[in-house]
Amino acid sequence: MRTKNIVLSALLCAMGIIIPMFSPIKIILEPASFTLASHIPIFIAMFISSKTALFVTLGTTIGFLFGGFPLPIVLRALSHLLFVSVGCIYLNKNRDSIKSIKSSLGYSFFIGLVHAIGEVLVIIPFYFSSNLSEGFYNQGFLVSVIGLIGVGTIIHSMLDFSLAVYVWNILPKEVRNKYVVKTQN
């Protein structure tokens, strides 16, 4: 990685850690909560390069771990490696899919679905070993795990992805081209 990409990756990691910790824009639907814009640093990293995206994903996961977040949340963050990897493979061949929010909707839904599958797969063992908050069990498996974690993650992911596309596209083209790795890995 070039020095500027390492520095940019570190800044995106910092943003990815700070946003969930301090954002006042949280939607709480017991037992789940969603912090608007928390995935934007990861999505922007995906627009830059695969290496940057993987680095930011691992960095934010470590940040959640060091921040003392519960293990299910840390592992949900780690599960982002799945959608980031799949998303980067697609973006390597289809850069035009992020030219606008409208052109990115199909891709956004697909990435949101992969994102949700990863998070649901992380939560299922915790659910069945009775290691989650009481709210999960009060709502039942379908509502709390499939509905709130699964469907909720798709919606949250698509909102954050749309915001990331918007932010990315308001940057001057020269700035975007300066940071995008031409031969993505």
Side-chain angles (χ1 to χ4, degrees):
M1 291 180 78
R2 298 179 288 185
T3 304
K4 66 183 175 184
N5 286 80
I6 292 171
V7 171
L8 186 58
S9 296
L11 291 171
L12 289 168
C13 279
M15 289 174 56
I17 294 167
I18 290 171
I19 291 170
M21 292 176 73
F22 299 108
S23 175
I25 307 171
K26 292 183 183 180
I27 299 167
I28 299 171
L29 303 169
E30 283 294 330
S33 67
F34 305 96
T35 304
L36 188 64
S38 61
H39 299 99
I40 289 176
I42 290 174
F43 288 132
I44 289 177
M46 288 171 61
F47 302 161
I48 295 168
S49 76
S50 300
K51 287 181 183 176
T52 301
L54 294 171
F55 181 87
V56 171
T57 303
L58 288 172
T60 55
T61 301
I62 292 168
F64 279 105
L65 179 65
F66 289 164
F69 283 84
L71 186 59
I73 292 174
V74 174
L75 293 178
R76 282 175 64 191
L78 184 62
S79 78
H80 293 168
L81 287 171
L82 176 64
F83 84 79
V84 165
S85 298
V86 171
C88 286
I89 290 168
Y90 180 84
L91 277 178
N92 284 340
K93 296 178 179 146
N94 301 287
R95 298 290 302 169
D96 288 345
S97 63
I98 59 170
K99 283 193 173 189
S100 71
I101 292 171
K102 185 177 178 181
S103 70
S104 70
L105 285 177
Y107 173 71
S108 176
F109 175 76
F110 175 71
I111 290 303
L113 182 62
V114 175
H115 186 167
I117 289 168
E119 293 204 10
V120 165
L121 289 174
V122 163
I123 291 300
I124 286 173
F126 287 99
Y127 184 89
F128 287 111
S129 63
S130 301
N131 286 325
L132 296 171
S133 68
E134 191 176 314
F136 273 93
Y137 304 101
N138 291 341
Q139 299 290 332
F141 181 81
L142 283 177
V143 171
S144 61
V145 177
I146 303 302
L148 293 174
I149 301 298
V151 175
T153 296
I154 292 170
I155 294 166
H156 181 201
S157 184
M158 289 182 74
L159 284 170
D160 282 1
F161 189 84
S162 294
L163 289 170
V165 168
Y166 176 77
V167 168
W168 182 253
N169 285 311
I170 62 172
L171 293 172
K173 190 173 185 175
E174 300 78 35
V175 172
R176 286 182 282 159
N177 289 341
K178 182 178 179 182
Y179 289 102
V180 172
V181 175
K182 300 299 181 210
T183 308
Q184 294 198 330
N185 302 318

